[in-house]
Structure formats: structure tokens, C-alpha cells
Amino acid sequence: MKNSFNTLLIVAIILILSSCGSQKATEEAKDSTAIESSIANLSEKQVQSIGIVTASMEQKTFSTILKVSGKVDVPPQNLISVSVPMGGYLKSTHLIPGMFVRKGESIAIIEDQQYIQMQQDFLTTQSKISFLENEYQRQKELNQSKASSDKVFQQAEMELKTQKILVKALAEKLKLAGINPEKLNENSISKSINIYSPINGYVSKVNVNIGKYISPTDVMFELVNTSDIHLALKVFEKDLDKISIGQKVTAYTNTYPNKKYPCEILLIGKSLSDERNTDVHCHFEVYDKALIPGTYMNAEIEITNAKSYVLPEDAIVRFENKHFVFAKKSPTQFEMIEVEIGNTEKGLTEIIKTDNMNNQTFVIKGAYSLLMSLKNKSEE
């Protein structure tokens, strides 16, 4: 009895192991997705049922999109920092950021006792000119008649020239301070001066307050002229050969990505930064006042490539991370061929390396059904 039981136990173990091995082999067969043949053979009825449509490859000029980013900028001559060359206390100003100002408009009043002294010095010095000119003429006549020495005449001449130089220098200082020396007289001396806007533009920064002392190195206001505002894009070295002056650009902000701003490339930088990029300046075809300097923007540059061979997207199937097309060998026979694809645009996909493929006909509808047919055949 004991021997019979042992025999039955051994037989049972062998059957269990055999069953497990058979099940494992079946699972491996099911997991395998390899296609044994690259030729799909169909009947005429199957071809009609699948609705296979074939066509040859076409040549098309493909365009790709280069995506870059940058920000709204203005030329240096359109960004003005307003300061007081000789300093003083800010008496009044009406500027606030975002305000529009016109060229020549008074934007601030500065006062300081030094302006009184400058005007006094100018008028006092100027008043001496008439006396010195008369003295010079008198000494000149005396010298010609030998009634006075050359030394006295030269002294009078030197004093007149010195005084004229001093008047000229003081006049330039007054102009620098914003005071017109030609309109200055003893009745128009003032302790304050007006600061005028040098451009038509918008106030971008106000750095002062009433009563503050402004030194000559302080920037009171920053003004920007938006008439020549542009978009400065960062383009990397590897993409510079793809762009050119006059190329069209479409820009948009992160806040309103659906609002597009058409631009045109005006200037391409000639030097590279440490990050291996350069500035590409673009002109807005239609300027929007909502775009202020410093606004970050994304942009798309359309790159036109050479002509490429293309097939419809439906003609290309993906299998095991590779791309394939089906070439027509006969009305009911189709061969699966691996291809390398490029860009896709408007439903057409670029086919790279088309050697020996230009004269063939390919399945443009029903390619996926052919792939399933080959997979099902391999699993039988």
C-alpha cells in the first residue's frame, strides 16, 4: 500500500509540473507581439471590406515652428531717465506711473538757493561788460596816441575777455539748470526751476516725493516713448541659421495665449551670450498699448524647409516604438516597411530617407487594419 501511495504521489507531482510548464509556454506565446511576416495577403473581399485606399508619395514644402521667448523692449534712445544736473529740493510734481506726458511739458519744480546765486552771478558779471568795453575802447585810443603804455591797454583787454568768458560759462550753467539766460533780468530771479519732459511718452517710474532733496546722481523719473517699441527674443546658436531679417513672427503672452501679435524680424544680434544665445529684435505690425516694456512673451517663428516627400497621417502605423507604412505589391498583397518620419503639418507627415520608395504606392486608408491582420496571423 505504501509503495502504491508513493507512486501516485510522484505521478501527481509530475502532472502538476507539466501543467505549469504548459501554462507558462502559452502565456509567453500570448505576450509575444512579434510579427512573423511583413506581407499581408488579403482576399478581394477583405480589401473591399477594409476600404483600402492607396496613393503615391507627394512632394511638399514643409514649414516647421521654432518656439522662442523674450520680452517687450524699447531702444535706448526711447527710454529716458530724468534727473536734476545741479540738485535741489522737489517742490512739486504731478506725475504718476502710466501717465502720458508731452515733450516740453513741465513735469516737476525744483528749488534751491544755489539757483538764486547762479542768477545773481550771471547778472552781476554781465553788468560789468559795458563798463569794461568802454574802458577797453578808451585805453585803445590812448595807446594809439601814445598817451598810455601798452601794459595798461593789455590789462584792459585781458579783463574784458575774462569777463566775457565768465558770462558765457555762467550762461551755460543756467541753461543746464533749465533757466534761459536771454530772458533773465533783475526782476525775474527765482529760487526754483522747472524740469521739462524731453520726449512724448509714458511715465514708467517715479522715484521721488515732495520735499525730498534730489542729488545730481538721482533719477527722479523714467519716461518711455512707445512709438518704437519692439520685441526682443532670445534665440540659441543652433537655431540662428534658420532665421533671417524680414521673417514673420507670431507673439503672444502667457496671460492671453489666444491673442496673437504679428511681428517681423528687423535685427539679428552678432554676438553670443554665455548661454549661447543672442537677441533678435522684432517690430510689432500693430502695436497694443497693453504691451508695456518688460512684458514677457512667447513667440513662434515659421521656418520654411526644402521640399520633402509626405504621406497622410493615416498611412503611418506605430508598432513596437517604430513607424511603418504598407507598400502595395499587388491588388491584394501589401508589404509593411519601416520608415523614419519628420514633422507633421495639416494632416501630412514628412517621410525621411525615401530611397527606393519614390515610385511605390502606399496604403493611405486601412493601414491599421493591415497591421491588425498581420498580428492576428502571427498569434494563430
Side-chain angles (χ1 to χ4, degrees), residues 272-337:
L272 295 173
S273 67
D274 294 337
E275 291 78 25
R276 311 304 298 170
N277 60 36
T278 191
D279 286 330
V280 174
H281 298 277
C282 307
H283 172 71
F284 288 98
E285 293 185 1
V286 178
Y287 172 63
D288 187 342
K289 292 182 179 179
L291 297 176
I292 61 176
T295 301
Y296 283 94
M297 301 193 76
N298 298 311
E300 296 178 350
I301 304 174
E302 187 174 301
I303 309 298
T304 302
N305 298 328
K307 284 189 176 182
S308 304
Y309 283 99
V310 297
L311 282 173
E313 284 185 88
D314 293 342
I316 300 161
V317 296
R318 186 182 177 91
F319 178 65
E320 291 186 339
N321 295 321
K322 297 178 182 179
H323 296 90
F324 298 88
V325 294
F326 284 90
K328 181 180 179 181
K329 296 299 180 183
S330 72
T332 58
Q333 189 180 67
F334 307 91
E335 181 182 6
M336 189 170 74
I337 302 173

Side-chain angles (χ1 to χ4, degrees), residues 205-328:
K205 287 183 181 180
V206 176
N207 302 320
V208 293
N209 54 269
I210 304 300
K212 182 178 180 180
Y213 181 80
I214 314 299
S215 67
T217 57
D218 292 338
V219 175
M220 295 195 300
F221 315 107
E222 286 189 7
L223 309 178
V224 57
N225 181 357
T226 57
S227 63
D228 195 24
I229 202 164
H230 65 266
L231 178 62
L233 300 173
K234 296 290 185 183
V235 178
F236 285 94
E237 178 183 13
K238 63 182 180 65
D239 297 320
L240 287 176
D241 61 337
K242 302 174 185 176
I243 62 176
S244 59
I245 293 175
Q247 211 162 354
K248 299 299 180 181
V249 178
T250 302
Y252 55 92
T253 63
N254 291 327
T255 308
Y256 301 103
N258 293 326
K259 189 173 183 180
K260 308 297 184 181
Y261 297 91
C263 307
E264 181 180 324
I265 295 178
L266 288 182
L267 180 66
I268 300 173
K270 301 301 180 183
S271 61
L272 295 173
S273 67
D274 294 337
E275 291 78 25
R276 311 304 298 170
N277 60 36
T278 191
D279 286 330
V280 174
H281 298 277
C282 307
H283 172 71
F284 288 98
E285 293 185 1
V286 178
Y287 172 63
D288 187 342
K289 292 182 179 179
L291 297 176
I292 61 176
T295 301
Y296 283 94
M297 301 193 76
N298 298 311
E300 296 178 350
I301 304 174
E302 187 174 301
I303 309 298
T304 302
N305 298 328
K307 284 189 176 182
S308 304
Y309 283 99
V310 297
L311 282 173
E313 284 185 88
D314 293 342
I316 300 161
V317 296
R318 186 182 177 91
F319 178 65
E320 291 186 339
N321 295 321
K322 297 178 182 179
H323 296 90
F324 298 88
V325 294
F326 284 90
K328 181 180 179 181

Side-chain angles (χ1 to χ4, degrees), residues 131-149:
F131 171 77
L132 292 175
E133 284 181 341
N134 291 334
E135 180 63 17
Y136 169 75
Q137 289 297 332
R138 190 172 71 86
Q139 292 296 332
K140 183 178 180 181
E141 291 173 0
L142 291 173
N143 182 259
Q144 288 176 347
S145 64
K146 303 300 180 178
S148 69
S149 66

